[in-house]
Amino acid sequence: MCTDNVQALKSIIDGIENPAIVWSTDWRLFNEDTWHGWKNPLKWLENEDGLKPYVIGNTPKKISSNRHEEIMMWLRNKDRPVIANFVVLDDIEYGMEMFRRHFFKCDYDKGLIADTADAVIEFLSVPADDMGIYSSKWRTYDKDNR
């Protein structure tokens, strides 16, 4: 995680209406302040980089599952906030074809870059017309109804 990656993520947050983050990264599994001797990356992003107000949750941890399954579990959870659109950002494509155009691949070596962030902003600028595939909750996400 470098300054350019954080700036790209912040540009997405700043570039869309009612942004929300749901972490699916393995970093979500570590609640301590440190992670392998380093400051916990999610706590750093949330606290030091100001993303905490936008975080609405984490995907569930399913034993022996893949990240795409955990994301789908979150999307189909009847108790989650309603959303009008979403993207999945990851550097691993395995299983992500289920999200079709909602999946944006990050570069394994560079992470989230400005060009990908710009494409995400454009994609999220309108409600998705395929949300029914992922859930029956296809309404506008409102940050006041978290």
XYZ file of all heavy atoms in Angstrom, residues 71-144:
616
model
N -17.816 -12.324 -0.762
C -18.435 -11.108 -1.299
C -19.894 -11.376 -1.650
O -20.785 -10.585 -1.330
C -17.647 -10.584 -2.523
C -16.242 -10.139 -2.093
C -18.404 -9.456 -3.214
C -15.290 -9.890 -3.246
N -20.147 -12.501 -2.299
C -21.524 -12.850 -2.661
C -22.380 -13.056 -1.406
O -23.549 -12.661 -1.385
C -21.557 -14.084 -3.551
C -22.923 -14.341 -4.153
S -23.554 -12.994 -5.194
C -22.753 -13.369 -6.727
N -21.806 -13.652 -0.367
C -22.548 -13.813 0.893
C -22.957 -12.448 1.437
O -24.084 -12.276 1.910
C -21.693 -14.560 1.925
C -21.553 -16.037 1.640
S -20.317 -16.855 2.700
C -20.993 -16.561 4.328
N -22.060 -11.472 1.374
C -22.388 -10.131 1.864
C -23.482 -9.511 1.004
O -24.443 -8.942 1.523
C -21.148 -9.221 1.884
C -21.455 -7.917 2.540
C -21.378 -7.637 3.873
C -21.944 -6.724 1.910
N -21.786 -6.341 4.106
C -22.129 -5.764 2.915
C -22.237 -6.377 0.597
C -22.590 -4.474 2.656
C -22.695 -5.094 0.335
C -22.873 -4.164 1.353
N -23.357 -9.620 -0.302
C -24.353 -9.035 -1.201
C -25.744 -9.633 -0.983
O -26.745 -8.936 -1.091
C -23.936 -9.231 -2.661
C -22.824 -8.329 -3.160
C -22.295 -8.824 -4.486
C -23.306 -6.888 -3.268
N -25.810 -10.908 -0.675
C -27.100 -11.581 -0.507
C -27.627 -11.546 0.925
O -28.707 -12.074 1.193
C -26.990 -13.013 -1.011
C -26.819 -13.027 -2.518
C -26.933 -14.387 -3.099
N -26.975 -14.290 -4.546
C -26.590 -15.240 -5.356
N -26.156 -16.379 -4.864
N -26.654 -15.085 -6.649
N -26.885 -10.934 1.825
C -27.316 -10.824 3.221
C -28.513 -9.873 3.303
O -28.414 -8.705 2.934
C -26.164 -10.317 4.083
C -26.518 -10.204 5.534
O -27.692 -10.150 5.920
N -25.514 -10.152 6.377
N -29.619 -10.364 3.805
C -30.843 -9.557 3.860
C -30.725 -8.375 4.822
O -31.499 -7.434 4.755
C -32.037 -10.419 4.232
C -31.964 -11.030 5.618
C -33.203 -11.855 5.931
C -33.173 -12.464 7.296
N -33.086 -11.541 8.387
N -29.752 -8.402 5.715
C -29.602 -7.336 6.700
C -28.595 -6.263 6.297
O -28.376 -5.316 7.047
C -29.180 -7.930 8.055
C -30.253 -8.839 8.629
O -31.452 -8.529 8.442
O -29.897 -9.859 9.238
N -28.008 -6.388 5.138
C -27.025 -5.381 4.725
C -27.737 -4.100 4.269
O -28.910 -4.131 3.907
C -26.140 -5.927 3.617
C -26.881 -6.038 2.287
C -25.897 -6.043 1.138
N -26.521 -6.380 -0.112
C -27.238 -5.532 -0.841
N -27.445 -4.313 -0.435
N -27.782 -5.920 -1.994
N -27.005 -2.980 4.263
C -27.601 -1.757 3.723
C -27.920 -1.930 2.238
O -27.276 -2.725 1.552
C -26.500 -0.713 3.899
C -25.551 -1.292 4.886
C -25.660 -2.776 4.764
N -28.889 -1.200 1.756
C -29.216 -1.271 0.336
C -28.201 -0.449 -0.457
O -27.686 0.560 0.018
C -30.659 -0.794 0.054
C -31.654 -1.762 0.655
C -30.887 0.601 0.580
N -27.911 -0.905 -1.647
C -26.943 -0.237 -2.506
C -27.482 -0.163 -3.925
O -28.294 -0.984 -4.329
C -25.577 -0.964 -2.498
C -25.727 -2.434 -2.893
C -24.905 -0.836 -1.127
C -24.416 -3.190 -3.031
N -27.025 0.840 -4.669
C -27.461 1.003 -6.049
C -26.455 0.427 -7.038
O -26.794 0.154 -8.185
C -27.675 2.484 -6.358
N -25.229 0.243 -6.588
C -24.186 -0.273 -7.453
C -23.007 -0.675 -6.568
O -22.951 -0.281 -5.402
C -23.756 0.792 -8.470
C -23.090 0.208 -9.695
O -22.696 -0.954 -9.723
N -22.946 1.030 -10.724
N -22.082 -1.437 -7.107
C -20.902 -1.835 -6.352
C -19.788 -2.204 -7.305
O -20.021 -2.471 -8.486
C -21.199 -3.023 -5.427
C -21.378 -4.333 -6.152
C -20.307 -5.224 -6.284
C -22.588 -4.682 -6.719
C -20.462 -6.423 -6.962
C -22.764 -5.881 -7.391
C -21.683 -6.752 -7.515
N -18.571 -2.204 -6.780
C -17.429 -2.739 -7.510
C -16.640 -3.641 -6.576
O -16.678 -3.481 -5.356
C -16.492 -1.649 -8.083
C -17.206 -0.799 -9.107
C -15.878 -0.806 -6.994
N -15.965 -4.578 -7.167
C -15.030 -5.441 -6.464
C -13.655 -5.101 -7.018
O -13.438 -5.175 -8.226
C -15.347 -6.936 -6.706
C -14.275 -7.814 -6.077
C -16.732 -7.282 -6.186
N -12.753 -4.698 -6.137
C -11.380 -4.392 -6.517
C -10.484 -5.497 -5.980
O -10.473 -5.753 -4.774
C -10.933 -3.055 -5.915
C -11.709 -1.815 -6.332
C -11.338 -0.635 -5.464
C -11.444 -1.507 -7.792
N -9.748 -6.154 -6.851
C -8.855 -7.216 -6.406
C -7.794 -7.427 -7.473
O -8.003 -7.105 -8.643
C -9.632 -8.517 -6.176
C -8.963 -9.424 -5.155
O -7.713 -9.541 -5.174
O -9.676 -10.023 -4.346
N -6.656 -7.999 -7.053
C -5.611 -8.317 -8.013
C -5.642 -9.786 -8.414
O -4.818 -10.237 -9.192
C -4.234 -7.932 -7.476
C -3.862 -8.679 -6.205
O -4.711 -9.412 -5.666
O -2.719 -8.519 -5.749
N -6.601 -10.515 -7.889
C -6.766 -11.923 -8.227
C -8.105 -12.103 -8.930
O -9.145 -11.695 -8.423
C -6.710 -12.801 -6.959
C -5.336 -12.647 -6.301
C -6.999 -14.259 -7.290
C -5.221 -13.302 -4.949
N -8.080 -12.725 -10.102
C -9.299 -12.886 -10.897
C -10.094 -14.129 -10.550
O -11.262 -14.233 -10.917
C -8.946 -12.931 -12.386
C -8.387 -11.630 -12.905
C -8.071 -11.696 -14.375
O -9.012 -11.856 -15.177
O -6.884 -11.591 -14.713
N -9.511 -15.075 -9.835
C -10.166 -16.348 -9.581
C -11.547 -16.155 -8.959
O -11.691 -15.539 -7.910
C -9.311 -17.227 -8.658
C -9.999 -18.523 -8.307
C -10.062 -19.557 -9.232
C -10.622 -18.694 -7.086
C -10.710 -20.734 -8.946
C -11.275 -19.878 -6.774
C -11.316 -20.889 -7.705
O -11.983 -22.055 -7.412
N -12.567 -16.651 -9.638
C -13.936 -16.594 -9.147
C -14.643 -15.278 -9.381
O -15.859 -15.183 -9.204
N -13.930 -14.259 -9.777
C -14.522 -12.924 -9.895
C -15.388 -12.758 -11.137
O -16.115 -11.784 -11.259
C -13.429 -11.850 -9.867
C -12.647 -11.805 -8.585
S -13.724 -11.504 -7.146
C -12.521 -11.504 -5.834
N -15.356 -13.737 -12.049
C -16.200 -13.627 -13.242
C -17.679 -13.583 -12.878
O -18.500 -13.090 -13.637
C -15.917 -14.778 -14.228
C -16.238 -16.155 -13.707
C -15.144 -16.804 -12.878
O -14.042 -16.241 -12.759
O -15.394 -17.894 -12.339
N -18.033 -14.050 -11.697
C -19.436 -14.004 -11.267
C -19.932 -12.565 -11.088
O -21.124 -12.317 -11.113
C -19.647 -14.808 -9.975
C -19.016 -14.195 -8.761
S -19.212 -15.084 -7.183
C -20.050 -16.556 -7.579
N -19.007 -11.629 -10.936
C -19.390 -10.232 -10.755
C -19.403 -9.452 -12.061
O -19.698 -8.261 -12.072
C -18.468 -9.564 -9.731
C -18.516 -10.230 -8.394
C -17.409 -10.882 -7.893
C -19.685 -10.237 -7.653
C -17.454 -11.520 -6.661
C -19.747 -10.880 -6.428
C -18.625 -11.520 -5.935
N -19.073 -10.123 -13.133
C -19.103 -9.555 -14.477
C -18.435 -8.187 -14.517
O -17.306 -8.039 -14.114
C -20.543 -9.507 -14.991
C -21.171 -10.884 -15.100
C -22.637 -10.783 -15.516
N -23.259 -12.077 -15.595
C -23.974 -12.617 -14.617
N -24.156 -11.960 -13.498
N -24.520 -13.808 -14.770
N -19.154 -7.201 -14.949
C -18.588 -5.860 -15.132
C -18.336 -5.121 -13.827
O -17.735 -4.053 -13.826
C -19.490 -5.042 -16.051
C -20.895 -4.861 -15.516
C -21.855 -4.347 -16.591
N -23.140 -4.077 -15.987
C -23.597 -2.870 -15.724
N -22.883 -1.817 -16.020
N -24.775 -2.715 -15.156
N -18.770 -5.667 -12.707
C -18.533 -5.041 -11.398
C -17.117 -5.297 -10.886
O -16.694 -4.699 -9.905
C -19.534 -5.569 -10.354
C -20.943 -5.190 -10.657
N -21.517 -4.022 -10.199
C -21.900 -5.824 -11.383
C -22.768 -3.961 -10.610
N -23.016 -5.041 -11.342
N -16.395 -6.203 -11.540
C -15.032 -6.537 -11.111
C -14.013 -5.668 -11.840
O -14.028 -5.572 -13.062
C -14.722 -8.013 -11.374
C -13.285 -8.382 -11.088
C -12.807 -8.346 -9.784
C -12.430 -8.729 -12.106
C -11.489 -8.665 -9.509
C -11.105 -9.055 -11.841
C -10.635 -9.026 -10.544
N -13.135 -5.036 -11.064
C -12.046 -4.237 -11.604
C -10.741 -4.812 -11.075
O -10.508 -4.825 -9.863
C -12.189 -2.765 -11.194
C -13.314 -2.073 -11.907
C -14.634 -2.250 -11.493
C -13.076 -1.257 -12.995
C -15.679 -1.624 -12.148
C -14.112 -0.631 -13.665
C -15.419 -0.813 -13.238
N -9.927 -5.301 -11.988
C -8.670 -5.941 -11.602
C -7.601 -4.883 -11.339
O -7.366 -4.003 -12.164
C -8.192 -6.892 -12.679
C -6.999 -7.727 -12.256
C -6.667 -8.750 -13.315
C -5.635 -9.741 -12.868
N -4.401 -9.217 -12.386
N -6.994 -4.992 -10.183
C -5.864 -4.140 -9.835
C -4.580 -4.843 -10.263
O -4.512 -6.066 -10.293
C -5.832 -3.880 -8.334
S -7.286 -3.000 -7.734
N -3.581 -4.081 -10.568
C -2.289 -4.624 -10.948
C -1.621 -5.245 -9.718
O -1.555 -4.622 -8.661
C -1.417 -3.499 -11.520
C -0.091 -4.003 -12.036
O 0.809 -4.241 -11.201
O 0.046 -4.145 -13.263
N -1.139 -6.465 -9.837
C -0.548 -7.165 -8.707
C 0.642 -6.404 -8.134
O 0.818 -6.343 -6.921
C -0.121 -8.580 -9.127
C 0.510 -9.364 -8.006
C -0.281 -9.976 -7.044
C 1.894 -9.464 -7.899
C 0.287 -10.681 -5.991
C 2.466 -10.175 -6.855
C 1.664 -10.778 -5.909
O 2.225 -11.464 -4.875
N 1.459 -5.826 -8.998
C 2.659 -5.126 -8.543
C 2.409 -3.671 -8.162
O 3.078 -3.136 -7.282
C 3.738 -5.162 -9.629
C 4.235 -6.577 -9.889
O 4.435 -7.319 -8.897
O 4.417 -6.930 -11.058
N 1.436 -3.032 -8.803
C 1.202 -1.603 -8.571
C 0.001 -1.316 -7.685
O -0.149 -0.214 -7.177
C 1.018 -0.886 -9.913
C 2.237 -0.937 -10.790
C 1.958 -0.258 -12.114
C 3.136 -0.410 -13.049
N 2.840 0.138 -14.380
N -0.913 -2.272 -7.539
C -2.122 -2.042 -6.751
C -3.144 -1.218 -7.512
O -3.203 -1.231 -8.739
N -3.964 -0.488 -6.787
C -4.987 0.374 -7.385
C -4.311 1.612 -7.957
O -3.656 2.357 -7.230
C -6.019 0.770 -6.324
C -7.142 1.704 -6.765
C -7.988 1.064 -7.859
C -8.003 2.086 -5.570
N -4.467 1.816 -9.252
C -3.838 2.970 -9.908
C -4.909 3.956 -10.355
O -6.103 3.643 -10.380
C -2.960 2.533 -11.098
C -3.792 1.779 -12.139
C -1.787 1.670 -10.608
C -3.034 1.476 -13.429
N -4.467 5.150 -10.723
C -5.383 6.237 -11.080
C -6.305 5.862 -12.235
O -7.497 6.184 -12.206
C -4.593 7.502 -11.410
N -5.802 5.195 -13.263
C -6.644 4.817 -14.410
C -7.779 3.887 -13.994
O -8.914 4.031 -14.447
C -5.810 4.144 -15.504
C -4.907 5.120 -16.247
O -5.103 6.341 -16.104
O -4.004 4.648 -16.965
N -7.470 2.936 -13.128
C -8.511 2.024 -12.631
C -9.501 2.799 -11.784
O -10.719 2.598 -11.898
C -7.887 0.872 -11.815
O -6.912 0.215 -12.619
C -8.952 -0.128 -11.377
N -9.015 3.696 -10.944
C -9.900 4.515 -10.105
C -10.845 5.344 -10.972
O -12.042 5.440 -10.678
C -9.081 5.418 -9.185
N -10.338 5.917 -12.052
C -11.185 6.701 -12.960
C -12.277 5.845 -13.583
O -13.435 6.269 -13.688
C -10.337 7.344 -14.067
C -9.425 8.446 -13.545
O -9.641 8.948 -12.423
O -8.470 8.795 -14.278
N -11.928 4.621 -13.979
C -12.925 3.705 -14.558
C -13.976 3.330 -13.518
O -15.171 3.240 -13.835
C -12.237 2.462 -15.106
N -13.561 3.124 -12.278
C -14.494 2.800 -11.191
C -15.455 3.960 -10.959
O -16.667 3.758 -10.821
C -13.731 2.438 -9.900
C -14.649 2.432 -8.700
C -13.041 1.093 -10.064
N -14.945 5.173 -10.923
C -15.791 6.356 -10.711
C -16.838 6.458 -11.810
O -18.020 6.688 -11.544
C -14.936 7.637 -10.640
C -14.075 7.614 -9.375
C -15.817 8.887 -10.685
C -12.977 8.663 -9.355
N -16.419 6.271 -13.047
C -17.359 6.318 -14.169
C -18.427 5.228 -14.028
O -19.614 5.476 -14.216
C -16.614 6.160 -15.489
C -17.521 6.248 -16.688
C -16.762 6.143 -18.008
O -15.530 6.313 -18.027
O -17.438 5.877 -19.024
N -18.007 4.014 -13.678
C -18.944 2.905 -13.529
C -19.936 3.154 -12.394
O -21.128 2.868 -12.525
C -18.169 1.609 -13.278
C -19.046 0.412 -13.120
C -19.637 -0.191 -14.216
C -19.302 -0.118 -11.864
C -20.460 -1.302 -14.071
C -20.113 -1.228 -11.708
C -20.702 -1.822 -12.813
N -19.460 3.686 -11.276
C -20.327 3.899 -10.116
C -21.180 5.167 -10.213
O -22.016 5.399 -9.349
C -19.483 3.960 -8.837
C -18.840 2.650 -8.405
C -17.931 2.887 -7.202
C -19.898 1.593 -8.081
N -20.999 5.936 -11.263
C -21.744 7.192 -11.385
C -23.230 6.986 -11.689
O -24.019 7.915 -11.561
C -21.111 8.084 -12.455
O -21.272 7.510 -13.733
N -23.609 5.778 -12.071
C -25.016 5.475 -12.335
C -25.406 4.183 -11.620
O -24.573 3.303 -11.432
C -25.304 5.333 -13.850
C -25.077 6.645 -14.579
C -24.456 4.242 -14.465
N -26.672 4.063 -11.218
C -27.109 2.800 -10.606
C -26.963 1.648 -11.602
O -27.150 1.822 -12.799
C -28.582 3.045 -10.278
C -28.721 4.531 -10.221
C -27.734 5.066 -11.219
N -26.623 0.498 -11.092
C -26.481 -0.685 -11.950
C -27.852 -1.226 -12.323
O -28.774 -1.208 -11.519
C -25.669 -1.757 -11.226
N -27.968 -1.718 -13.549
C -29.239 -2.280 -13.993
C -29.317 -3.786 -13.754
O -30.307 -4.416 -14.098
C -29.480 -1.966 -15.464
C -28.372 -2.485 -16.374
O -27.434 -3.157 -15.880
O -28.451 -2.218 -17.583
N -28.283 -4.357 -13.139
C -28.257 -5.803 -12.925
C -28.207 -6.188 -11.448
O -27.862 -7.314 -11.112
C -27.072 -6.428 -13.662
C -25.727 -5.926 -13.161
O -25.688 -4.972 -12.368
O -24.701 -6.496 -13.579
N -28.579 -5.295 -10.561
C -28.468 -5.579 -9.131
C -29.359 -6.733 -8.696
O -29.074 -7.403 -7.716
C -28.766 -4.337 -8.296
C -27.669 -3.290 -8.357
S -26.070 -3.860 -7.768
C -26.416 -4.094 -6.044
N -30.436 -6.989 -9.420
C -31.322 -8.092 -9.084
C -30.632 -9.448 -9.124
O -31.052 -10.386 -8.451
N -29.567 -9.555 -9.885
C -28.795 -10.797 -9.945
C -28.152 -11.088 -8.590
O -28.033 -12.230 -8.184
C -27.690 -10.699 -11.019
C -28.297 -10.549 -12.400
C -26.748 -11.898 -10.956
C -27.276 -10.199 -13.465
N -27.766 -10.031 -7.907
C -27.010 -10.164 -6.661
C -27.883 -10.084 -5.421
O -27.508 -10.565 -4.365
C -25.920 -9.100 -6.606
C -25.044 -9.161 -7.834
C -25.196 -8.261 -8.879
C -24.103 -10.166 -7.970
C -24.411 -8.346 -10.018
C -23.321 -10.265 -9.109
C -23.482 -9.343 -10.117
O -22.714 -9.445 -11.245
N -29.028 -9.435 -5.541
C -29.895 -9.268 -4.384
C -31.206 -8.653 -4.829
O -31.282 -8.003 -5.859
C -29.222 -8.347 -3.363
O -30.106 -8.012 -2.340
N -32.216 -8.806 -4.001
C -33.489 -8.141 -4.287
C -33.482 -6.717 -3.745
O -34.428 -5.979 -3.944
C -34.640 -8.922 -3.655
O -34.464 -8.975 -2.251
N -32.403 -6.335 -3.067
C -32.317 -4.998 -2.472
C -31.703 -4.019 -3.469
O -30.566 -3.602 -3.328
C -31.461 -5.039 -1.215
C -32.091 -5.712 -0.062
C -31.194 -5.531 1.116
C -31.989 -5.709 2.375
N -31.301 -5.212 3.530
N -32.435 -3.641 -4.453
C -31.919 -2.717 -5.445
C -32.567 -1.360 -5.232
O -33.578 -1.015 -5.805
C -32.201 -3.235 -6.840
C -31.639 -2.374 -7.922
C -30.543 -1.586 -7.848
C -32.152 -2.206 -9.228
N -30.318 -0.954 -9.032
C -31.306 -1.308 -9.893
C -33.239 -2.715 -9.906
C -31.504 -0.917 -11.217
C -33.436 -2.327 -11.207
C -32.582 -1.443 -11.849
N -32.011 -0.627 -4.303
C -32.449 0.732 -4.030
C -31.206 1.560 -3.796
O -30.116 1.042 -3.633
C -33.333 0.772 -2.788
C -34.617 -0.012 -2.944
C -35.472 0.130 -1.720
N -34.708 -0.222 -0.545
C -35.148 -0.964 0.450
N -36.349 -1.441 0.429
N -34.398 -1.233 1.487
N -31.364 2.835 -3.729
C -30.225 3.712 -3.530
C -29.665 3.558 -2.135
O -30.407 3.567 -1.156
C -30.652 5.183 -3.765
O -31.207 5.278 -5.063
C -29.464 6.108 -3.629
N -28.359 3.437 -2.045
C -27.687 3.401 -0.745
C -27.644 4.820 -0.201
O -27.297 5.761 -0.897
C -26.269 2.847 -0.876
C -25.481 3.013 0.391
C -25.695 2.162 1.459
C -24.595 4.053 0.544
C -25.016 2.314 2.644
C -23.907 4.216 1.718
C -24.124 3.354 2.769
O -23.453 3.524 3.936
N -27.999 4.991 1.032
C -28.001 6.297 1.664
C -27.152 6.205 2.923
O -27.453 5.436 3.815
C -29.431 6.714 2.003
C -29.522 8.088 2.636
O -28.474 8.665 2.995
O -30.642 8.579 2.774
N -26.089 7.019 2.979
C -25.167 6.922 4.111
C -25.853 7.206 5.440
O -25.382 6.796 6.489
C -23.966 7.853 3.917
C -24.316 9.312 3.943
C -23.078 10.147 3.707
C -23.466 11.607 3.658
N -22.369 12.453 3.277
N -26.985 7.912 5.437
C -27.703 8.201 6.685
C -28.489 6.996 7.195
O -28.954 6.984 8.318
C -28.641 9.386 6.509
C -27.858 10.662 6.213
O -26.732 10.805 6.749
O -28.346 11.487 5.439
